[in-house]
Amino acid sequence: MKVLTINEELFIGAGGHQATYIHPIDKTKCIKIPHMKDDGDVRKEMRYRKICAAKLEKSRLVTEFFGTVETNLGLGYVFERVIDYNGKTSQDLKNFLPKTKPDAKTLQRIWTILLNFKSDFLHENIAIVDSDIENFMVQEHSPGAYRVRIVDNIGTPVLIPLVYWFEFAAAWKAKRRWNKLVDSFAADYPEIILPEFAAQLKEK
């Protein structure tokens, strides 16, 4: 098997479990390399992707997985790279959301993005582990048109994951996760997630 060479010029970012690099041959893909050889977080995601492959194949939210490759830094997992229409790496939600109150036009755009995210998330019932907003990226797929993508921490660590096989369980869990996410938004971005909008975002 050919070994791909990864260097620091291709580095995108790193989390607690893995580092992400631009694929050296195909810039529309990225390669995630676990910090540890047998990482439980990676095993969890691969299990979810295997069991729920048919569901994830139709997902608007979850990035596509293309298999593994050997690299000079170890075994890499190849995924769709979330990029904007201009070829730049999309921003995660933490960096996309402004720290101070934006103008009315920008605020309305953010609200629309989050409402569309709610619609997609509760339609697809994707299993996520936590509400860390760095796992969500905002992709401007054409000028002025945005959608949120899920790039990490999918699946569940439980031994018998009912959410993998039963859609009612997946819907119940997704609703709980979504409402926790809204609470997190409201706490961290009070200038953007105003009380009346938080109430609109919440799923009853």
Side-chain angles (χ1 to χ4, degrees), residues 27-101:
K27 306 303 181 186
T28 67
K29 295 181 176 68
C30 65
I31 300 176
K32 295 182 181 181
I33 301 177
H35 300 319
M36 298 175 59
K37 187 173 182 179
D38 185 27
D39 185 90
D41 192 67
V42 174
R43 281 190 280 106
K44 166 185 60 62
E45 177 172 345
M46 291 301 107
R47 183 187 183 201
Y48 181 50
R49 285 183 176 275
K50 181 179 180 180
I51 295 173
C52 300
K55 177 179 182 176
L56 296 180
E57 187 177 342
K58 298 178 287 187
S59 175
R60 282 173 45 85
L61 292 171
V62 179
T63 51
E64 188 174 356
F65 174 59
F66 298 101
T68 59
V69 293
E70 289 291 340
T71 80
N72 59 310
L73 301 179
L75 184 67
Y77 295 77
V78 182
F79 293 89
E80 169 193 357
R81 179 184 167 208
V82 182
I83 53 179
D84 293 342
Y85 71 94
N86 57 10
K88 292 184 178 180
T89 300
S90 302
Q91 290 183 300
D92 63 41
L93 262 178
K94 184 176 181 179
N95 289 308
F96 181 83
L97 295 174
K99 305 297 186 294
T100 57
K101 188 174 182 179

Side-chain angles (χ1 to χ4, degrees), residues 16-196:
H17 294 271
Q18 53 200 354
T20 305
Y21 299 85
I22 298 171
H23 195 294
I25 297 174
D26 186 348
K27 306 303 181 186
T28 67
K29 295 181 176 68
C30 65
I31 300 176
K32 295 182 181 181
I33 301 177
H35 300 319
M36 298 175 59
K37 187 173 182 179
D38 185 27
D39 185 90
D41 192 67
V42 174
R43 281 190 280 106
K44 166 185 60 62
E45 177 172 345
M46 291 301 107
R47 183 187 183 201
Y48 181 50
R49 285 183 176 275
K50 181 179 180 180
I51 295 173
C52 300
K55 177 179 182 176
L56 296 180
E57 187 177 342
K58 298 178 287 187
S59 175
R60 282 173 45 85
L61 292 171
V62 179
T63 51
E64 188 174 356
F65 174 59
F66 298 101
T68 59
V69 293
E70 289 291 340
T71 80
N72 59 310
L73 301 179
L75 184 67
Y77 295 77
V78 182
F79 293 89
E80 169 193 357
R81 179 184 167 208
V82 182
I83 53 179
D84 293 342
Y85 71 94
N86 57 10
K88 292 184 178 180
T89 300
S90 302
Q91 290 183 300
D92 63 41
L93 262 178
K94 184 176 181 179
N95 289 308
F96 181 83
L97 295 174
K99 305 297 186 294
T100 57
K101 188 174 182 179
D103 60 74
K105 184 177 180 181
T106 300
L107 184 61
Q108 188 59 57
R109 182 173 70 243
I110 292 170
W111 285 1
T112 299
I113 291 169
L114 293 178
L115 286 171
N116 288 338
F117 181 25
K118 173 187 178 180
S119 178
D120 287 340
F121 189 82
L122 296 177
H123 173 72
E124 297 187 8
N125 297 325
I126 300 300
I128 59 173
V129 178
D130 56 40
S131 303
D132 186 350
I133 64 173
E134 292 183 336
N135 296 327
F136 311 119
M137 300 186 77
V138 181
Q139 183 179 37
E140 188 176 8
H141 52 88
S142 61
Y146 301 83
R147 62 172 171 159
V148 175
R149 309 296 305 281
I150 302 176
V151 297
D152 206 358
N153 250 358
I154 64 171
T156 175
V158 302
L159 185 61
I160 303 176
L162 296 180
V163 297
Y164 289 11
W165 289 286
F166 300 102
E167 197 59 23
F168 75 88
W172 176 81
K173 189 70 172 180
K175 177 182 173 180
R176 292 190 64 193
R177 280 295 183 197
W178 177 258
N179 285 338
K180 285 185 178 181
L181 186 58
V182 174
D183 288 339
S184 176
F185 283 149
D188 294 340
Y189 298 92
E191 299 278 2
I192 299 172
I193 312 300
L194 306 178
E196 59 270 25

